[in-house]
Amino acid sequence: MKAALGQLQIVWEDKTANLKKAEAYAGLLAEQGTDLFLLPEMSLTGFSMHTDRTGERTEETVEKIQRLAERYGMTFGVGWVRDAGEYCENHYSLVTPEGRILDYVKLHPFGFGGEGEHFRGGESLPVCELGGFRIGVQICYDLRFPEPFQILSGSADLILVPANWPASRSGHWKSLLKARAIENMAYVAGINCAGKMEELYYSGDSRLYAPDGTKLKKEVLRLPGCCPEERVLVYDLQNDVHRYRECFPVKEDRREALYKKLQEET
């Protein structure tokens, strides 16, 4: 499977401009036979708490992305905001030319950034199959919580982490992505935004780790005139998770019943 991580500079709260940019890159990626094009968290708006502007009741972002998927013959990963009434939800969907195959809601609203005042957390860990991989998702701040990754890795070979993760904490981003790959023996892809947005700077640092923590090689695409940090990283992937887990069977030594017992006793 050929997968592309879209480390894009998001135009603040401008869905039209961001969709246009995504389509421009999709045209280049389609020429290379790309199967999966992944965009960052809140792909068409940035990490905005102005839910009156970003929230959707009719899922128009998913509909527009599906039209792009049909046009360019590839699957897209897109982040968007659902208006759920009193609170919103931070969604990430995988959308094929035939329709949506996965829809995940961020489990952990980012309290430090005020997300918990506007968003409620999700309560499920969906997994889908694509290109020989079983794929799950965690969004940005979810990366700091290891337990859902362990649960996901029981059925997922590739875990996507779309994000709006600022440069001031980039060291945490890189360390945690690598750690999640190693401890779960799964492929982990971090898809971050790039450049200046409102008062924050995003260094990007998107990357894809193998189950042993090796950072994979990639090709780089850039549109003319984009900011220095913006780029699309393209990887050729084969699902060999079983080989890693057979050669070094760490997961067989986990003691789930004991962990549960110790937690209950604490």
Side-chain angles (χ1 to χ4, degrees), residues 1 35 128-135 157-158 187 237-242:
M1 177 174 69
D35 303 296
C128 69
E129 294 190 15
L130 182 73
F133 283 84
R134 296 169 298 174
I135 301 175
D157 316 298
L158 169 61
Y187 285 90
L237 298 177
Q238 292 185 341
N239 189 350
D240 52 1
V241 167
H242 66 284

Side-chain angles (χ1 to χ4, degrees), residues 9-12 194-203 227 229:
Q9 183 178 30
I10 300 172
V11 183
W12 185 250
K196 188 77 182 295
M197 193 177 357
E198 288 293 277
E199 300 303 316
L200 292 176
Y201 168 66
Y202 299 86
S203 52
C227 76
E229 299 82 4

Side-chain angles (χ1 to χ4, degrees), residues 11-15 42 44-56 80-83 86-89 113-115 117-119 197-199:
V11 183
W12 185 250
E13 296 180 353
D14 191 335
K15 295 181 183 180
M42 294 191 187
L44 304 186
T45 64
F47 190 67
S48 170
M49 297 300 101
H50 300 146
T51 54
D52 57 324
R53 304 173 194 171
T54 64
E56 301 177 4
W80 57 285
V81 174
R82 177 173 177 261
D83 182 347
E86 182 180 0
Y87 289 95
C88 285
E89 295 170 343
E115 190 177 10
E117 298 174 14
H118 306 277
F119 290 80
M197 193 177 357
E198 288 293 277
E199 300 303 316

Side-chain angles (χ1 to χ4, degrees), residues 211-226:
D212 64 350
T214 302
K215 191 167 72 168
L216 299 185
K217 295 180 179 179
K218 76 279 184 181
E219 297 179 27
V220 177
L221 294 177
R222 301 181 76 240
L223 286 174
C226 66

Side-chain angles (χ1 to χ4, degrees), residues 206 215-220 231-236:
S206 300
K215 191 167 72 168
L216 299 185
K217 295 180 179 179
K218 76 279 184 181
E219 297 179 27
V220 177
R231 63 203 62 194
V232 172
L233 313 177
V234 184
Y235 299 83
D236 282 308

Side-chain angles (χ1 to χ4, degrees), residues 71-85:
R71 186 174 307 151
Y72 295 101
M74 70 179 73
T75 298
F76 283 73
V78 62
W80 57 285
V81 174
R82 177 173 177 261
D83 182 347

